[in-house]
């Protein structure tokens, strides 16, 4: 995969908050994001020759420069005092904020807002595949792209933890994924605005709180003095029953939660 570019901003370490808007950030490259599709191949091999052949066609396409060149993995991480986020959230009604996030906010001193994307070109590729009736390839590219987003986020969580400990002597306490299960949808535009995600990596949100490019995600990670065990649970409601993401060996919608 091409280099995964991460832009890191430190709002509580600049003289003026407007400095962030003028583009003060560190640029980090992560180049070892790998995607293992063996579990998906095993699944389709069990479905018979026709579907296994479809997987083989998909895999050749996924490895091709035509597909790989459209992937533009980018992310922005913004560290800021929790109090700033709380002041913004005070304008939201309580039912619009995830309960665990609300309960943990006061225990946190710093937050890391994260927005990540594969870029707009992969969205355009999906349209071309659908119009050419390559439905199975389109479905599998969509599935693989979603898992790639998940792998990117795993690395971002690790990076945030390393920065939090070395720079602030803080540790991850909780992470919220707005939009999962329809919760905290109104947090999405807040995260994008506070992180300047549209200006830096081209991610925006429409009036229906859907992010564009479509292969984009965002999160809020709370940091504090106490070390908390971060575990991962499957998303609801499917729990992996007939989910292609789950069949890949993991789901990009798995959500970290206090253990």
């Amino acid at each position: 995969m091409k280099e995964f570019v991460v832009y890191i901003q430190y709002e509580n370490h600049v003289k003026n908050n407007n400095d962030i808007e003028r583009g003060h950030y560190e640029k980090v490259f992560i180049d070892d994001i790998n995607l293992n599709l063996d579990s998906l191949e095993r699944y389709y091999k069990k479905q018979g020759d026709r579907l296994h052949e479809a997987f083989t066609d998909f895999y050749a396409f996924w490895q091709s420069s035509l597909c790989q060149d459209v992937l533009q993995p980018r992310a922005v991480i913004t560290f800021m005092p929790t109090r700033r986020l709380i002041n913004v959230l005070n304008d939201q009604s309580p039912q619009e904020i995830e309960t665990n996030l609300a309960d943990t906010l006061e225990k946190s001193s710093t937050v890391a807002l994260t927005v990540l994307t594969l870029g707009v070109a992969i969205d355009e590729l999906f349209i071309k595949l659908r119009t050419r009736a390559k439905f199975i390839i389109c479905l599998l590219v969509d599935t693989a792209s979603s898992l790639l987003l998940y792998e990117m986020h795993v690395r971002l969580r690790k990076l945030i933890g390393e920065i939090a400990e070395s720079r602030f002597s803080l540790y991850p306490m909780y992470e919220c994924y707005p939009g999962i299960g329809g919760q905290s949808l109104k947090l999405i535009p807040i995260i994008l605005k506070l992180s300047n995600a549209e200006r830096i990596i081209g991610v925006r949100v429409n009036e229906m709180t859907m992010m564009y490019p479509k292969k984009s995600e965002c999160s809020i990670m709370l940091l504090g003095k106490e070390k908390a065990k971060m575990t991962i649970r499957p998303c609801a409601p499917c729990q992996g029953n007939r989910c292609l993401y789950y069949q890949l060996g993991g789901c990009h919608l798995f959500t970290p939660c206090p253990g």
Side-chain angles (χ1 to χ4, degrees), residues 10-249:
Y10 300 94
E11 181 172 315
N12 46 346
H13 281 265
V14 294
K15 294 180 181 179
N16 188 314
N17 285 346
N18 290 329
D19 288 345
I20 284 185
E21 297 179 5
R22 291 198 293 267
H24 287 240
Y25 48 74
E26 295 178 7
K27 198 173 182 180
V28 174
F29 296 91
I30 302 176
D31 58 6
D32 58 348
I33 306 293
N34 296 309
L35 190 59
N36 189 329
L37 299 174
D38 290 349
S39 58
L40 189 64
E41 181 178 17
R42 288 194 297 269
Y43 172 80
Y44 271 87
K45 198 170 185 178
K46 293 177 182 178
Q47 308 308 310
D49 293 340
R50 186 179 66 83
L51 287 180
H52 186 235
E53 182 179 345
F55 172 84
T56 302
D57 291 342
F58 147 74
Y59 189 75
F61 179 74
W62 177 257
Q63 298 283 59
S64 71
S65 59
L66 176 63
C67 185
Q68 290 296 307
D69 286 351
V70 304
L71 300 174
Q72 302 165 351
R74 301 186 300 275
V76 58
I77 302 172
T78 302
F79 292 91
M80 65 174 54
T82 305
R83 180 50 53 187
R84 168 118 193 257
L85 180 61
I86 290 175
N87 291 339
V88 174
L89 295 182
N90 283 338
D91 295 332
Q92 306 295 313
S93 60
Q95 63 268 27
E96 292 171 346
I97 302 173
E98 182 183 316
T99 302
N100 287 331
L101 174 64
D103 291 345
T104 314
L105 274 170
E106 294 295 339
K107 303 174 185 177
S108 166
S109 61
T110 300
V111 299
L113 307 179
T114 303
V115 183
L116 60 156
T117 185
L118 289 178
V120 68
I122 190 70
D123 290 351
E124 296 169 351
L125 176 61
F126 291 143
I127 295 173
K128 291 179 181 177
L129 290 173
R130 285 197 297 268
T131 56
R132 294 174 185 173
K134 296 183 179 294
F135 300 115
I136 293 183
I137 289 180
C138 184
L139 171 65
L140 293 177
V141 170
D142 177 58
T143 304
S145 299
S146 294
L147 187 62
L148 185 56
L149 270 178
Y150 172 76
E151 295 295 336
M152 288 163 58
H153 203 115
V154 168
R155 289 304 306 273
L156 289 176
R157 290 180 65 205
K158 183 174 184 290
L159 179 61
I160 291 170
E162 292 170 350
I163 293 173
E165 184 172 1
S166 64
R167 190 152 185 164
F168 309 122
S169 296
L170 298 175
Y171 307 95
M173 299 174 60
Y174 181 76
E175 187 171 25
C176 165
Y177 285 77
I180 300 300
Q183 291 189 325
S184 307
L185 283 171
K186 292 195 175 180
L187 295 184
I188 294 176
I190 292 173
I191 295 172
L192 268 58
K193 181 178 180 180
L194 291 177
S195 64
N196 297 302
E198 182 172 1
R199 177 178 60 81
I200 297 174
I201 60 173
V203 178
R204 56 185 172 84
V205 65
N206 63 18
E207 63 278 1
M208 302 297 291
T209 63
M210 294 180 62
M211 283 187 286
Y212 179 84
K214 292 181 180 178
K215 289 300 177 182
S216 303
E217 294 180 358
C218 66
S219 75
I220 301 172
M221 182 177 286
L222 304 181
L223 307 172
K225 291 291 185 182
E226 298 180 6
K227 290 186 178 181
K229 181 181 178 182
M230 300 282 284
T231 58
I232 292 179
R233 66 186 177 200
C235 64
C238 80
Q239 301 294 323
N241 288 339
R242 283 187 286 181
C243 175
L244 286 174
Y245 299 127
Y246 188 87
Q247 291 155 12
L248 273 163

